[in-house]
Amino acid sequence: MSGHQIPGPEESRSDAEDSIRLGMFDQYRSLLFSIAYRMLGSVADAEDMLQETFLRWHAAGEEDIRSPRAYLVTILSRLCINHLQSAQVQREEYTGMWLPEPIVTDPGSDPFHLIRVDESLSMAFLVLLERLTPIERAVFLLKEVFEYEHGEIAAIVGQSEVNCRQILKRAKQHVATLRPRFAAARPDHGALLESFLKAVGTGEMTDLLSLLTEDVVLRSDGGGKAAAVPNAVQGADKVGRGILGGMQRFVPKTLVQRLARINGEPGLVTYFNGEPYSVVTIEVRDNRISSIYVITNPDKLKHLPPLK
């Protein structure tokens, strides 16, 4: 929906208006995708929400639109809230753990034209957001990440300003470990990931354990379609043994590894026969790995770049 030309005089009024509407939508596409992806944790679902938002925007009368940006964000946010409410049932039926769909965000490569790449895009942050109700998630993101005012948020989600303040307070309590502004990725993050991959590759349990916090958690998402542990594994010894044992029993020996920035942070993409096989990211605390996320569900790897 980009690269449109200014309509000429030979075009009808409706064609000219359609072109203007399309241009305005393109102007806010990055913002809309940024909100939708953080709301839903899924590229495919975010794109669906953008498509539905565009259809409603295209059909809206001029009398309904005071601010294009506010109108579009309102439509999108409400669609995402509704989708999350229905998705809660789907996730209860999901095989194993559900993790967000990873996005490669290497410098100079932004296939989804994200308006902002920061810690609010990280796997750890998106997993924490799963603790929130759909309305809490919307209010929290709009205020803490996209810096909307309470009055604007109230209009977007269809709640009073007083209610929005209470909703935000509850959301902050649910994710109390988060700060109002998110720090940049720590410089040791990439080095720890590389040390972790080396330890896993050599099978050295002692080296691996030295990189993990005592309460480290391993989460993996295969969606019932690929190898994954069904529940979170906690504790350095259990995680270490689980990773090394899983590498021996389930992981192909011919995987090709590529370091990449995943959701704004250092990560790993592996390929089998030229196709994406898994994504690995870590969370760091006190110079050690506190969480490991492994995504093998092929449905969530479709948007990854091809092997080069």
Side-chain angles (χ1 to χ4, degrees), residues 15-143:
D15 287 341
E17 289 175 344
D18 286 349
S19 182
I20 291 171
R21 283 286 178 94
L22 199 50
M24 285 185 177
F25 185 83
D26 280 342
Q27 181 181 347
Y28 297 112
R29 170 183 284 277
S30 295
L31 171 63
L32 297 174
F33 183 85
S34 289
I35 294 172
Y37 175 75
R38 286 170 172 84
M39 279 286 291
L40 306 176
S42 163
V43 171
D45 290 343
E47 290 178 335
D48 286 346
M49 295 302 102
L50 258 68
Q51 178 66 21
E52 181 61 29
T53 298
F54 174 75
L55 293 175
R56 298 192 183 195
W57 160 253
H58 187 265
E62 291 293 336
E63 67 278 4
D64 298 323
I65 304 172
R66 294 183 180 179
S67 161
R69 176 184 171 121
Y71 188 85
L72 287 166
V73 171
T74 298
I75 294 174
L76 179 86
S77 299
R78 293 183 182 184
L79 285 171
C80 287
I81 290 170
N82 292 339
H83 183 84
L84 280 176
Q85 289 169 340
S86 63
Q88 287 176 337
V89 176
Q90 297 171 9
R91 290 182 191 174
E92 289 173 0
E93 301 170 352
Y94 191 81
T95 302
M97 285 177 287
W98 185 95
L99 291 176
E101 184 175 344
I103 294 178
V104 172
T105 53
D106 284 328
S109 173
D110 185 4
F112 302 102
H113 306 290
L114 290 165
I115 195 171
R116 182 181 306 187
V117 177
D118 58 17
E119 194 174 345
S120 72
L121 197 67
S122 71
M123 196 65 59
F125 181 85
L126 294 176
V127 168
L128 279 168
L129 290 182
E130 289 294 305
R131 301 179 184 182
L132 306 183
T133 67
I135 188 71
E136 287 173 345
R137 190 162 181 162
V139 170
F140 184 86
L141 284 170
L142 289 170
K143 185 68 176 74

